Amino acid sequence: VRHLKRAVEMDPSFSPAYGLLGLACLKAHRPDKAIWWFARALEVDPQNKRLQVGYLNTALVLAIRLFFRGDLVDAARLFNEVLEQRRGSILPHLYLASIYRELGKGSLALYHRDAASRISPQDPYLHLQKAVVLLSQGDKAAAAREIQAGAVLLKSSVSPGGTPEEVLRFITVN
């Protein structure tokens, strides 16, 4: 690290050194510092695909860390930043759905659940997770439809009899 810092002191336009400093920080479990180095590298060389990938991967690692620390607003900012460049990535959508549900922003939670379902339409658990959000919003009819869709994909013989809450509890436990 010392030699890389010396390299950027000697030649501030040497973007690979910034990228390597970002990697070193990431390997040292310091994504907060790593993202700074990758951002600096991209200021010097904004078209460098490897630096862009390094930055986005680091942003994803840092966003997940922030999520588990309970810093939902900053985590959401980084997940959204990743989605701007990687629209087809399911992971940020799943985290954002959880974040927005936790923050009481049901419509945004549903938006991200829907986006995740479009990316992976055969995943029964995405339907069941969406049902949880719909139930929290009081939309039992839509929740029942999502539960039924999830049950079909799970090849469950459960018929949505009873309340959506009871059916969801049964499916997820059995």
Side-chain angles (χ1 to χ4, degrees):
V1 172
R2 181 181 65 211
H3 296 293
L4 292 169
K5 287 183 178 179
R6 180 76 177 120
V8 295
E9 287 172 7
M10 291 173 54
D11 183 2
S13 67
F14 188 53
S15 65
Y18 292 108
L20 289 172
L21 282 163
L23 280 175
C25 289
L26 195 55
K27 285 188 174 259
H29 305 287
R30 296 297 314 262
D32 53 328
K33 289 190 178 206
I35 202 164
W36 186 87
W37 286 112
F38 278 115
R40 180 68 183 107
L42 287 170
E43 288 173 12
V44 173
D45 190 2
Q47 302 307 314
N48 187 313
K49 295 293 183 197
R50 286 185 173 173
L51 294 175
Q52 291 170 2
V53 167
Y55 178 86
L56 290 172
N57 288 343
T58 302
L60 193 56
V61 168
L62 182 56
I64 292 168
R65 179 175 284 184
L66 292 169
F67 174 84
F68 283 106
R69 287 184 180 166
D71 189 349
L72 302 181
V73 173
D74 282 340
R77 180 184 55 78
L78 284 171
F79 282 125
N80 277 310
E81 188 175 336
V82 170
L83 277 179
E84 288 175 17
Q85 300 299 315
R86 295 180 178 167
R87 297 205 184 274
S89 180
I90 194 170
L91 191 64
H93 284 297
L94 294 173
Y95 275 101
L96 284 166
S98 295
I99 288 169
Y100 290 131
R101 188 188 73 201
E102 202 59 34
L103 294 175
K105 298 181 178 185
S107 61
L108 283 171
L110 282 176
Y111 169 81
H112 287 285
R113 286 279 174 232
D114 285 339
S117 292
R118 283 191 300 276
I119 294 167
S120 183
Q122 297 303 311
D123 187 334
Y125 300 103
L126 294 176
H127 290 281
L128 299 177
Q129 291 169 353
K130 184 177 177 184
V132 170
V133 175
L134 290 165
L135 285 172
S136 72
Q137 293 180 332
D139 192 346
K140 290 185 178 192
R145 288 190 299 275
E146 291 299 326
I147 291 167
Q148 181 62 43
V152 167
L153 290 169
L154 284 170
K155 297 178 180 29
S156 172
S157 60
V158 175
S159 161
T163 68
E165 293 93 339
E166 292 167 340
V167 174
L168 184 60
R169 190 174 313 114
F170 179 81
I171 290 173
T172 55
V173 169
N174 294 307

